[in-house]
């Protein structure tokens, strides 16, 4: 009995369990969890499940849109149901929902009556789902590397880097309903079974190859590009061609992967038919690829969303490929470069090359095994003098990516439109007063008219203190429409200073607070920090109704640094 337990413990996937456990701990105690994991594009991937199993409106191609106007209006408001055939089709593919379904169905068994599928229960289940498939991806990737006799230490190091030194961590814990972790699972499994079949041909492995490739295509069809990487798994072009000839010499064996592939793909076709009455549609409407103007350089190197800017660990593939070339492995180097070139060309040709709000270039997540396979070869075969600098760099890249994941979650790193200046201004910064720093908006719209201005020469406020800077009163009806308060002042804007400048609007009769927002004093200066200069911040006050006069107050709250404000101005615009 004791021997059996020891044997079981020996073969448990300890490395993968440690990685998943670390993600759970980081999510709970560092990133502070996430309340809305089913959002943005992820909501589109997930929506198949509540549609099919809660609202029961998936089969609607024969439903009259006029008689069921409420249903169709609700679907249109979601933003990802587009007109197709005789109905509305979800523009996203259903493969992600297929993988999520066991966890979703578990939720339906324990959820309260009337739950619409978006409650905290289902949000948490999608986090567990993403963890499960990341775990599976790591298992497959380990299996692939073991087939090449890579050492366990190198395998674990590559797994850690693939998760914690890239945006994989973010798309597992924070945007769990996006497709990328699920694609990583399918791609890793596909590569493993192709290589495993080559090492030991079995019919069931051919079936798994077909199933997983079908799954890849119904999660994100563009990921079918992974076929171009298959030759890399073989030692030479001669060996690859020989295997192809062997397969086609016994063509009946192709029935197994082809049938498995078609069965999986038919799920998407049937879903489309139920939604709009057609088996084949282009579900993305006017969205598409601009193949004549790919954003190759920006896709890879821009500060806005560059692959190698936000996942610099992937640059480790450069010395890895160079090392392979020195070993005269030109075949593999050529296959890798061709695959990389074609894939980046196609992905950077998408009409929104940055892929909207995201941390890093998220469509590259599913291709991380393509990067870390040659990196693993290099780490396993290279001399210590070459290996240790890369390992040290990898440790820093893990630290950087975990910090940036925190920054993205807490509105320090911009979700879009990042710049070089913005990147370096918040580099490795996690203090609370950096939240929103890059989101500052100055309103210079000529549609606003300046109504009045109040000024003060100076104000001195000691440490850990608060003081009123300016105050004025306005009739209640003034705030029946949006107001803009512009505040300018001069001070020394220290990046370590968490002082806050607050504008509040309070009802003079009831004392109710109708508006209050405190901006970090540092935000006034923009990128012109750590010196004395003039700064500005605009407070946009939403409209509200009140019959009583309103008291507008500008106040400063200091912390460990005193405030020495000069040339203070507060103006009201409408």
């Amino acid at each position: 009995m004791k021997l059996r337990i020891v044997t079981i413990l020996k073969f448990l996937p300890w490395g993968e369990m440690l990685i998943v456990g670390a993600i759970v701990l980081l999510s709970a105690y560092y990133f502070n969890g996430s309340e809305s994991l089913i959002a943005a594009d992820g909501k589109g991937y997930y929506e198949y499940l509540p549609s099919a199993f809660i609202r029961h409106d998936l089969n609607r191609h024969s439903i009259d849109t006029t008689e069921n106007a409420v249903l169709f209006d609700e679907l249109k408001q979601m933003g990802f149901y587009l007109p197709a055939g005789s109905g509305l089709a979800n523009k996203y593919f259903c493969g992600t929902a297929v993988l999520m379904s066991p966890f979703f169905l578990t939720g339906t068994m324990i959820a309260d009556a009337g739950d619409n599928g978006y409650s905290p229960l289902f949000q948490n289940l999608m986090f567990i789902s993403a963890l499960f498939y990341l775990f599976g991806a790591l298992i497959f990737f380990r299996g692939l590397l073991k087939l090449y006799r890579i050492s366990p230490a190198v395998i674990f190091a590559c797994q850690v880097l693939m998760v914690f030194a890239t945006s994989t961590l973010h798309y597992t814990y924070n945007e769990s309903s996006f497709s990328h972790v699920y694609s990583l699972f399918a791609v890793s499994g596909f590569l493993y079974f192709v290589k495993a079949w080559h090492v030991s041909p079995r019919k069931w492995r051919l079936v798994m190859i077909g199933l997983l490739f079908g799954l890849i295509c119904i999660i994100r069809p563009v990921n079918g590009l992974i076929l171009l990487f298959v030759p890399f798994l073989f030692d030479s072009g001669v060996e690859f061609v020989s295997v192809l000839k062997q397969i086609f010499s016994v063509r009946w064996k192709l029935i197994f992967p082809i049938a498995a592939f078609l069965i999986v793909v038919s799920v998407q076709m049937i879903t489309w038919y139920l939604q709009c009455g057609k088996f084949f549609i282009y579900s993305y409407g006017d969205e598409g690829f601009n193949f004549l103007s790919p954003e190759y350089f920006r896709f890879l190197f821009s500060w806005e969303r560059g692959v190698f800017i936000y996942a610099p660990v992937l640059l480790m593939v450069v010395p890895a490929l160079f090392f392979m070339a020195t070993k005269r492995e030109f075949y593999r180097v050529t296959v890798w470069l061709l695959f990389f070139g074609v894939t980046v060309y196609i992905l950077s040709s998408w009409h929104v090359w940055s892929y909207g709000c995201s941390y890093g270039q998220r469509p590259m997540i599913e291709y991380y095994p393509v990067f870390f396979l040659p990196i693993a070869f290099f780490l396993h075969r290279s001399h210590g003098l070459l290996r240790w600098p890369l390992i040290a760099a990898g440790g820093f890249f893990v630290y950087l990516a975990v910090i940036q994941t925190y920054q993205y979650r807490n509105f320090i790193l911009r979700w879009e439109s990042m710049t070089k200046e913005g990147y370096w201004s918040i580099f490795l910064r996690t203090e609370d007063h950096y939240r929103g720093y890059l989101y500052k908006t100055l309103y210079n719209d000529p549609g606003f008219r300046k109504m009045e201005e109040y000024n003060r020469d100076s104000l001195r406020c000691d440490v850990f203190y608060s003081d009123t800077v300016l105050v004025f009163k306005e009739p209640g009806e003034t705030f029946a429409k949006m107001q803009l308060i512009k505040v300018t002042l001069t001070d020394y804007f220290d990046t370590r200073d968490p002082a806050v400048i607050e504008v509040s609007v309070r009802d003079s009769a009831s004392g109710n607070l109708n508006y209050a927002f405190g901006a970090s004093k540092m935000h006034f200066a923009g990128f012109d920090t750590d010196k004395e200069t003039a700064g500005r911040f605009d407070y946009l006050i939403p409209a509200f109704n009140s019959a009583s006069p309103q008291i507008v107050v500008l106040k400063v709250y200091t912390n460990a640094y005193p405030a020495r404000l000069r040339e203070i101005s507060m103006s009201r615009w409408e």
Side-chain angles (χ1 to χ4, degrees):
M1 182 66 177
K2 183 183 292 186
L3 180 62
R4 185 178 300 174
I5 293 174
V6 171
T7 303
I8 292 173
L9 291 175
K10 181 180 178 181
F11 288 99
L12 282 176
W14 290 108
E16 293 80 6
M17 291 166 63
L18 184 62
I19 289 171
V20 168
I23 294 174
V24 173
L25 290 175
L26 281 170
S27 175
Y29 297 106
Y30 183 59
F31 302 133
N32 298 320
S34 183
E35 296 179 359
S36 182
L37 301 174
I38 306 170
D41 289 7
K43 187 176 181 180
Y45 290 111
Y46 172 83
E47 165 60 19
Y48 286 97
L49 298 171
S51 174
F53 298 107
I54 294 180
R55 298 197 311 270
H56 306 292
D57 62 9
L58 185 66
N59 185 4
R60 57 176 176 271
H61 72 274
S62 60
I63 297 177
D64 185 271
T65 58
T66 305
E67 294 179 4
N68 296 271
V70 174
L71 165 63
F72 282 87
D73 286 344
E74 179 184 350
L75 296 180
K76 288 178 182 178
Q77 289 172 11
M78 292 184 181
F80 44 78
Y81 279 103
L82 302 180
S86 59
L88 294 171
N90 188 333
K91 75 175 185 178
Y92 298 104
F93 285 74
C94 70
T96 304
V98 170
L99 292 179
M100 291 174 172
S101 59
F103 299 90
F104 179 86
L105 292 173
T106 300
T108 61
M109 297 176 190
I110 58 178
D112 295 333
D115 195 316
N116 66 356
Y118 291 92
S119 67
L121 168 65
F122 287 95
Q123 304 279 348
N124 291 327
L125 282 170
M126 291 308 104
F127 175 47
I128 296 171
S129 174
L131 284 174
F132 176 83
Y133 288 106
L134 176 64
F135 183 82
L138 294 173
I139 292 288
F140 282 137
F141 186 61
R142 173 162 60 90
L144 176 63
L145 295 185
K146 285 180 70 175
L147 291 173
Y148 289 99
R149 305 183 188 281
I150 304 296
S151 69
V154 169
I155 291 174
F156 182 67
C158 288
Q159 288 176 318
V160 169
L161 292 176
M162 190 163 67
V163 174
F164 294 106
T166 68
S167 55
T168 304
L169 174 61
H170 172 78
Y171 286 97
T172 302
Y173 104 92
N174 191 41
E175 295 188 286
S176 310
S177 58
F178 277 56
S179 66
H180 307 294
V181 170
Y182 299 90
S183 288
L184 179 63
F185 165 80
V187 167
S188 299
F190 173 75
L191 294 177
Y192 166 74
F193 278 107
V194 169
K195 183 60 181 178
W197 176 84
H198 173 235
V199 171
S200 178
R202 295 288 187 275
K203 293 177 185 176
W204 71 272
R205 286 183 176 141
L206 286 176
V207 172
M208 290 303 300
I209 289 170
L211 287 173
L212 286 162
F213 188 68
L215 198 56
I216 287 169
C217 292
I218 68 169
I219 295 175
R220 293 184 80 239
V222 71
N223 290 339
L225 287 167
I226 196 63
L227 274 180
L228 300 178
F229 187 71
V230 167
F232 184 94
L233 302 177
F234 300 86
D235 293 332
S236 67
V238 173
E239 183 184 55
F240 177 62
V241 172
S242 173
V243 170
L244 288 180
K245 289 180 178 178
Q246 177 187 346
I247 292 173
F248 284 99
S249 66
V250 191
R251 295 180 184 178
W252 64 268
K253 289 185 178 180
L254 292 174
I255 295 174
F256 298 105
I258 291 174
F261 171 79
L262 292 176
I263 289 171
V264 175
V265 171
S266 69
V267 175
Q268 181 66 69
M269 296 166 57
I270 293 169
T271 301
W272 277 336
Y273 180 78
L274 293 174
Q275 290 183 330
C276 65
K278 290 187 175 182
F279 287 108
F280 295 98
I281 62 170
Y282 180 74
S283 61
Y284 274 79
D286 295 331
E287 300 177 69
F289 293 92
N290 299 322
F291 290 118
L292 297 180
S293 55
E295 296 285 356
Y296 214 101
F297 183 84
R298 294 174 76 187
F299 185 88
L300 293 175
F301 297 108
S302 74
W303 296 98
E304 182 175 356
R305 197 80 78 242
V307 172
F308 297 120
I309 296 296
Y310 292 96
V313 68
L314 300 181
L315 287 170
M316 291 171 66
V317 78
V318 175
L321 292 174
F322 180 78
F323 179 82
M324 292 170 66
T326 63
K327 299 297 182 181
R328 307 187 65 82
E329 297 179 16
F330 300 117
Y331 164 74
R332 277 201 169 114
V333 173
T334 302
V335 170
W336 197 96
L337 292 174
L338 286 173
F339 171 80
F340 178 77
V342 172
T343 300
V344 172
Y345 166 70
I346 291 176
L347 293 179
S348 66
S349 297
W350 185 244
H351 72 110
V352 182
W353 68 268
S354 62
Y355 292 84
C357 298
S358 63
Y359 169 40
Q361 273 297 359
R362 54 189 177 88
M364 291 298 289
I365 292 174
E366 30 269 73
Y367 300 112
Y368 286 165
V370 170
F371 286 85
F372 284 100
L373 188 55
I375 290 171
F377 290 167
F378 175 61
L379 292 177
H380 179 72
R381 297 159 58 192
S382 63
H383 190 274
L385 292 177
L386 296 174
R387 184 189 308 159
W388 286 110
L390 274 189
I391 292 175
F396 173 74
F397 294 145
V398 168
Y399 176 69
L400 174 63
V402 170
I403 291 294
Q404 289 187 337
T405 300
Y406 177 90
Q407 290 178 324
Y408 190 89
R409 172 76 177 84
N410 289 280
F411 302 98
I412 297 174
L413 183 68
R414 279 191 68 94
W415 292 8
E416 57 182 343
S417 305
M418 273 294 292
T419 63
K420 178 181 178 180
E421 294 78 12
Y423 181 92
W424 290 111
S425 70
I426 53 95
F427 187 67
L428 301 181
R429 305 307 294 256
T430 59
E431 299 93 325
D432 284 347
H433 60 276
Y434 274 89
R435 295 189 184 193
Y437 177 53
L438 298 181
Y439 287 84
K440 171 184 171 181
T441 301
L442 297 179
Y443 297 89
N444 298 311
D445 189 340
F448 283 103
R449 289 186 305 122
K450 185 176 181 180
M451 306 306 295
E452 52 199 335
E453 182 176 336
Y454 302 88
N455 299 288
R456 181 169 178 171
D457 291 336
S458 63
L459 180 138
R460 178 189 178 98
C461 190
D462 290 332
V463 298
F464 299 104
Y465 195 70
S466 64
D467 202 351
T468 298
V469 185
L470 288 167
V471 60
F472 64 90
K473 184 182 289 188
E474 288 292 329
E477 55 268 23
T478 298
F479 294 91
K481 55 184 176 180
M482 183 183 297
Q483 300 292 304
L484 177 65
I485 301 294
K486 296 184 180 182
V487 177
T488 60
L489 51 87
T490 299
D491 196 4
Y492 187 91
F493 295 100
D494 195 317
T495 53
R496 300 167 299 173
D497 186 0
V500 170
I501 307 290
E502 180 191 77
V503 168
S504 64
V505 181
R506 190 178 296 274
D507 192 290
S508 62
S510 66
N512 292 336
L513 193 63
N514 290 313
Y515 172 84
F517 183 81
S520 280
K521 189 182 70 170
M522 185 188 75
H523 294 195
F524 278 68
F527 300 139
D528 212 14
T529 53
D530 289 320
K531 65 180 181 179
E532 185 170 318
T533 186
R536 171 182 155 194
F537 197 89
D538 292 354
Y539 300 78
L540 195 62
I541 304 175
F544 62 87
N545 295 315
S546 177
S548 305
Q550 303 293 305
I551 301 173
V552 182
V553 178
L554 177 65
K555 199 167 185 176
V556 58
Y557 296 85
T558 63
N559 202 285
Y561 298 83
R564 303 289 186 267
L565 309 182
R566 297 186 299 105
E567 301 171 357
I568 309 159
S569 171
M570 180 166 62
S571 56
R572 182 177 68 83
W573 301 63
E574 65 178 32

